[in-house]
Structures are given as structure tokens and as C-alpha cells.
Amino acid sequence: MIHSQLVLAEASLTSFATTNRFWIQLLLILGVVIAGIILTRSSAGARHQAIRRIFMALFAAVAVYFIIFPSAASQIARIVGVGRGADLLLYALVVAFFSFVATSFKRVAAMERRITELSRQLAISRAPGPEAIHQQPPTRPNEDIDPEAPTR
């Protein structure tokens, strides 16, 4: 009697774990797909965007494979000399995070240079000529930008 209860409890735990495993797999796969769609929608150059889409598709395929077959990550980890599959995935995520930080830093630096360049061009285009300086009375600096700005 006790043995049959243990077998029944074990079977119900297995079905519960399988059901929960299915749902977490489904959620992870949906997360990968959504992230892939978001990351491939870019306004970058055609070659850069094509390379990015190839890597994103490769990432999505590997992620879905590891979600469906989690033991494969452990097997690959043992082949490359890492103890567990979870550790291998953590190392890969650290590398991915640092590459994201590096590309984000480069992108922000380029954007700052572009904003500086545009600000200089705007200032030069709005600057009055030498003859206008002598003919017009001095104006408040913010007058042409926001006429309803409070004065000091």
C-alpha cells in the first residue's frame, strides 16, 4: 500500500514537473522570439542589419534548442571544460552583456558627437551677420527660441 502511494505520488510529481516545464519553456521561447523581433527592427545600414539579423536568428535557434533540451547545455559545458550547463550559459550571458555595453557606449558617443555637430551648425546658421550686429538693438538671448519664457 505504501509502495503504491509512493509510485502514485512520484508519477503525479513527474506529470506536474513536465507540465511546469512545458509552460516555462513556452514563456522562454516567447521571450526569445519577442527579443529577436525587437532587436532586428533597426534603422542601421543594410550590411550591419543583415549581420545583426543572422546573429539574432542564430541566438534564437540556440536558445530555443537549450530551452527544449536543457541537458544539451550541460553536455556542451562538459565538452568545453565548464562544470555545468548553467555556468556555461552564465559565461555566455556575461560576454553578451559586455558586448552590449561596449556597443551601447560607442553608439552613445557617436550620438553625442552628432548632437555637438548639429548644435554648432544651428548656432552658426542662426548667428547674425556683422552688419546686423551694428544695426539692431540688443535682444534677450532666448527671445527667438521661446518668446514666452519668463524673464529674470
Side-chain angles (χ1 to χ4, degrees):
M1 170 109 172
I2 293 177
H3 185 307
S4 64
Q5 288 177 343
L6 285 176
V7 171
L8 183 61
E10 193 173 304
S12 66
L13 280 176
T14 304
S15 67
F16 177 73
T18 305
T19 304
N20 283 347
R21 183 175 169 194
F22 168 77
W23 287 111
I24 192 68
Q25 287 176 334
L26 181 65
L27 288 173
L28 289 170
I29 290 170
L30 285 174
V32 168
V33 169
I34 290 170
I37 290 170
I38 291 170
L39 289 175
T40 54
R41 292 177 50 190
S42 171
S43 61
R47 180 178 176 179
H48 175 74
Q49 193 170 2
I51 291 171
R52 195 161 137 184
R53 284 184 176 170
I54 289 170
F55 278 118
M56 193 59 217
L58 181 66
F59 163 76
V62 169
V64 168
Y65 180 78
F66 284 149
I67 290 168
I68 295 172
F69 305 109
S71 63
S74 296
Q75 292 171 350
I76 293 172
R78 281 191 290 269
I79 291 171
V80 297
V82 177
R84 301 178 310 163
D87 294 336
L88 178 65
L89 295 176
L90 176 66
Y91 299 152
L93 286 174
V94 167
V95 170
F97 174 73
F98 281 126
S99 64
F100 171 76
V101 168
T103 56
S104 294
F105 178 77
K106 288 169 62 176
R107 189 177 311 125
V108 167
M111 194 175 0
E112 287 176 348
R113 283 191 303 272
R114 183 70 180 142
I115 289 171
T116 301
E117 179 184 326
L118 290 171
S119 298
R120 288 178 182 161
Q121 289 175 3
L122 183 63
I124 291 170
S125 70
R126 288 188 175 179
E131 64 281 345
I133 293 175
H134 298 292
Q135 294 174 356
Q136 294 180 354
T139 59
R140 293 189 326 223
N142 290 336
E143 193 171 278
D144 63 326
I145 296 174
D146 187 6
E148 297 192 18
T151 57
R152 293 184 195 186

